[in-house]
Structures are given as C-alpha cells and as structure tokens.
Amino acid sequence: MEALRLILLFVHLVGFALLLGGAIAQFLSGTFRISPAVLWGSIIQLVSGLGLAAPLRGGGDHEPDPIKLVVKLVIAVMIFIMVFIPRKREAVNKGHYIGIITLTLANAAVAVFWR
C-alpha cells in the first residue's frame, strides 16, 4: 500500500507542477488563457488528491485530519471549476488567473502547514 501511496503522491506533485507552472507561464506571457497544462494539472490534482485521501494507510496517528481533507477538496474543486468552465474561451480576466494561482498556492500551503 505504501508503494501505491507514493505513486499517487508523485502523480499529485506532477499535477501541481503542471497547474502552477502552466498558470504562471501564461500569466507572465500576458496571454490570460486556460492552457492544456493548466486544465490537465487541475484534473490530475483533483483525481490524485481523492486517491491520496482514500483510507489506504490503515489508521493510526499518521492519518490526515478530515477537516484538512475537506478544505483541500473544496479548494481543489474551486480551482477545477475556475479552469474547466472557461477552458474554450480565447481569453479570461486577469483577476481570474490571479485567483487560480492564489488558490493553487493556498492549497499547497494547507497541505504543508496544516498538521
């Protein structure tokens, strides 16, 4: 089970890199459009995050806080909605893109700092 958890964690980190890297690259280019990297990053983050939250660890002291998981899920769903709905538009608002980047960083902060 530990090997499966590590694979899911690796995939989750790849999704984070796609989402944040793609969003920042688009933002810095000045073209505020939902790129395939951002879309796939949000999908990978959501799916692999659900897999990581599954009870694969068998209980004990190393189980994550259920409230933390709910907060992370809500943020991940918000990011997915912000990416999925306008994905076919030629451009999105600059504030929309800043929101995607901010929520992505907030979700990472919850993962790292909430113990």
Side-chain angles (χ1 to χ4, degrees):
M1 284 300 176
E2 182 64 14
L4 178 59
R5 188 189 73 78
L6 291 175
I7 290 169
L8 282 171
L9 182 60
F10 177 75
V11 170
H12 197 64
L13 291 174
V14 168
F16 176 75
L18 282 169
L19 177 60
L20 186 62
I24 289 176
Q26 285 291 118
F27 183 79
L28 293 177
S29 74
T31 308
F32 305 112
R33 187 167 194 270
I34 303 298
S35 68
V38 174
L39 176 63
W40 280 105
S42 69
I43 293 169
I44 291 169
Q45 281 275 274
L46 188 59
V47 172
S48 63
L50 288 171
L52 283 169
L56 298 175
R57 294 164 296 280
D61 293 336
H62 294 82
E63 289 290 321
D65 183 9
I67 304 294
K68 173 184 176 178
L69 294 178
V70 169
V71 169
K72 285 189 58 60
L73 177 63
V74 168
I75 295 172
V77 168
M78 288 170 50
I79 293 168
F80 177 73
I81 290 169
M82 289 179 71
V83 168
F84 188 77
I85 290 175
R87 73 189 182 283
K88 293 184 180 179
R89 293 185 191 159
E90 286 299 315
V92 295
N93 191 332
K94 181 179 180 180
H96 187 91
Y97 237 84
I98 292 172
I100 292 170
I101 293 169
T102 303
L103 284 174
T104 302
L105 291 172
N107 212 4
V110 168
V112 171
F113 295 116
W114 189 330
R115 294 282 169 192

